[in-house]
Amino acid sequence: RSSSSSTTSSYKCEHQSRHAWGTTEHEEPSFIIARVRKQYSSPPHHNFHHLDINEDFNRYYAPWSNKNEFEIALNKLDRYYQNLFYSKCYEPFIPIVYEPSPISYDRSKFATFKLIQRVQANRPETIQTLLKYEKRPGQAQRFFARINKDFRWPSSMPEYLRKSAFYDIAEDGPDFDAEIGFNIIFFYNALDRGEFIGHENEWVTVYKQKVLECGQRYDDDKLTSVLDAMPSAVQIPVDQTRLPRGPPTKMVTVYRTNNGNDYKVRVRVRRPNESLIALLPHDFIDVQDNNKMYSCVVDTGAPHTILPHYVKKTLGRKGWSTLKATAVGYGEPTEQYFASQMFEVSIGDNYNWSKWVQAKIGVWDICPGDKVQYALVGNDVSDQMAYIHEPGKPLKI
């Protein structure tokens, strides 16, 4: 498509006109029925099962105009019966999936479908089921109070984004925004309903639980501009294999700490032309995360700088992506936030500081657990500095 505006109008046109089973596209949010496919066979066997089916009967998807329309109708019908089963008996429901069944008819003209079992659908969440996401007392209670009582996680929603949405909705404070969590959930409900069929190679921008546009992924400048105007907007790929992942990080650090492998430093971070500074000592203790300690080190195996969540909390939400990435290598699969604009970083020892250099840094998620023990100053910062490494001696910057 030539532009995001034309893509947006295409999306709206497609989805405002769908009224399968006499409903609108927003009534039953589920994507339980698998993709329908035609299956063809060799010429028919001549036996009593063979039927002479005329062309008028060979309308596979009537009264729908095409296969996509038919898929969406099946999805909605499936969710309707899920809700019916839950409301009647609240018992686990095995949803259905439609597949071509082997028949002796001429399947170049006709196809039938059989029912097979599939995985159990998500049941409504309760405070008890939400406790697994809780890192501070009361989070599950606050989340449950802010959602519909029959809330179910969308089937297609990755677990780490469920946690992300949970924290945004359950937490209070300037570093969290419930609207971000609701926007992410909205996207995956729409994905479950099949609303992005035909947009598989595009990214979807959601704001105030509405689709703004489908198109190419924003670059950092565009993302910063969008988030300045709409701080709770999110942009998510329809193709889930394209979800953000942190660049591979390998702990190949070279000052001698207890294990003799890395250079400990102090770190300070600020926005360009601003006076507010987040300061990390050699060993930073996060009092808001059960006194978790991070050793701040120069890491020659890290392409990007990854610091504690304290930095984002201190400097504020501006300039950070609203969609988390997952770590690759060190700390995997811990979530990370990456900056959409430049920050300034300086490192030092007990007496002196280096010059300020600019980098689009990242921060670990809040409460990252035991897999993360380091704040890593990566090559995006160290490559902008001149330093001397002499064997057996401290690093000189």
Side-chain angles (χ1 to χ4, degrees):
R1 293 173 175 86
S2 59
S3 67
S4 60
S5 59
S6 63
T7 302
T8 305
S9 61
S10 169
Y11 172 86
K12 291 181 178 178
C13 178
E14 290 173 9
H15 295 283
Q16 287 176 350
S17 62
R18 288 175 173 154
H19 298 281
W21 306 111
T23 67
T24 64
E25 66 272 20
H26 299 293
E27 291 185 5
E28 292 91 22
S30 176
F31 189 74
I32 301 301
I33 297 183
R35 181 171 295 278
V36 178
R37 68 181 186 272
K38 299 178 187 177
Q39 181 172 324
Y40 303 101
S41 68
S42 58
H45 300 286
H46 295 284
N47 55 37
F48 68 94
H49 290 294
H50 176 61
L51 296 178
D52 184 16
I53 302 173
N54 61 39
E55 290 297 322
D56 289 337
F57 196 68
N58 190 32
R59 300 180 183 275
Y60 293 94
Y61 304 112
W64 304 278
S65 59
N66 55 46
K67 178 178 176 180
N68 290 344
E69 299 286 344
F70 185 44
E71 278 189 340
I72 292 172
L74 288 177
N75 292 334
K76 293 174 181 176
L77 182 63
D78 170 65
R79 176 48 70 101
Y80 170 80
Y81 281 108
Q82 285 186 57
N83 290 339
L84 182 64
F85 269 72
Y86 278 121
S87 63
K88 294 295 183 184
C89 58
Y90 199 73
E91 291 296 324
F93 173 57
I94 305 297
I96 58 177
V97 58
Y98 290 85
E99 282 190 344
S101 62
I103 56 176
S104 57
Y105 303 141
D106 181 357
R107 280 174 286 180
S108 65
K109 292 184 177 181
F110 179 69
T112 61
F113 300 89
K114 67 177 181 178
L115 302 181
I116 65 172
Q117 288 187 332
R118 203 179 176 204
V119 296
Q120 180 174 318
N122 289 337
R123 296 185 64 170
E125 296 294 325
T126 65
I127 293 178
Q128 287 69 34
T129 62
L130 293 169
L131 287 174
K132 67 178 182 178
Y133 300 114
E134 208 176 59
K135 292 188 176 179
R136 294 193 182 94
Q139 286 179 325
Q141 183 73 45
R142 287 194 297 274
F143 180 89
F144 195 72
R146 295 169 180 175
I147 60 173
N148 296 328
K149 296 302 180 285
D150 62 345
F151 171 77
R152 298 179 180 89
W153 290 114
S155 299
S156 60
M157 191 172 184
E159 185 67 14
Y160 84 93
L161 288 179
R162 295 184 186 188
K163 289 192 293 184
S164 175
F166 175 85
Y167 297 140
D168 278 319
I169 296 171
E171 281 290 317
D172 293 314
D175 196 34
F176 297 92
D177 187 338
E179 188 61 35
I180 294 175
F182 287 123
N183 286 337
I184 295 174
I185 293 170
F186 172 88
F187 168 84
Y188 281 101
N189 276 328
L191 184 65
D192 281 359
R193 291 193 294 267
E195 291 190 10
F196 303 125
I197 293 173
H199 298 269
E200 287 81 2
N201 295 321
E202 298 172 346
W203 289 63
V204 180
T205 303
V206 178
Y207 181 60
K208 292 187 176 179
Q209 301 180 60
K210 294 181 181 178
V211 173
L212 295 187
E213 64 177 349
C214 299
Q216 297 301 308
R217 184 181 186 180
Y218 297 148
D219 60 24
D220 287 336
D221 291 339
K222 175 67 172 178
L223 179 60
T224 298
S225 175
V226 169
L227 294 180
D228 283 345
M230 300 175 289
S232 61
V234 296
Q235 193 189 35
I236 309 176
V238 176
D239 179 357
Q240 294 292 281
T241 64
R242 300 167 67 184
L243 281 168
R245 303 196 72 188
T249 300
K250 183 180 179 182
M251 283 294 293
V252 186
T253 54
V254 209
Y255 174 9
R256 302 304 196 198
T257 60
N258 291 336
N259 63 11
N261 284 334
D262 39 46
Y263 292 103
K264 278 192 177 182
V265 293
R266 292 190 297 162
V267 182
R268 51 183 185 169
V269 184
R270 69 183 183 188
R271 287 194 180 86
N273 304 316
E274 293 189 10
S275 58
L276 180 62
I277 294 175
L279 178 63
L280 304 174
H282 295 94
D283 292 309
F284 169 69
I285 297 176
D286 191 345
V287 296
Q288 296 184 345
D289 183 10
N290 297 318
N291 293 321
K292 178 177 177 58
M293 188 177 79
Y294 299 82
S295 293
C296 299
V297 300
V298 175
D299 184 358
T300 60
H304 285 269
T305 297
I306 307 290
L307 303 175
H309 194 270
Y310 166 83
V311 172
K312 181 174 181 284
K313 185 175 182 64
T314 300
L315 300 180
R317 289 171 46 196
K318 181 181 177 182
W320 301 94
S321 173
T322 51
L323 183 62
K324 291 181 182 178
T326 53
V328 178
Y330 177 72
E332 187 173 351
T334 306
E335 292 83 44
Q336 303 166 330
Y337 287 97
F338 279 95
S340 60
Q341 66 182 36
M342 290 290 185
F343 284 77
E344 292 186 336
V345 181
S346 173
I347 61 177
D349 55 18
N350 289 325
Y351 308 101
N352 301 302
W353 290 98
S354 73
K355 66 179 181 179
W356 291 97
V357 299
Q358 292 193 351
K360 290 180 180 177
I361 62 175
V363 295
W364 297 112
D365 192 15
I366 188 173
C367 304
D370 294 337
K371 291 184 178 181
V372 175
Q373 300 176 355
Y374 292 95
L376 308 177
V377 178
N379 298 330
D380 55 342
V381 170
S382 62
D383 283 354
Q384 300 183 63
M385 301 177 179
Y387 57 88
I388 300 174
H389 173 216
E390 299 180 54
K393 296 183 180 181
L395 185 69
K396 296 179 181 180
I397 299 176

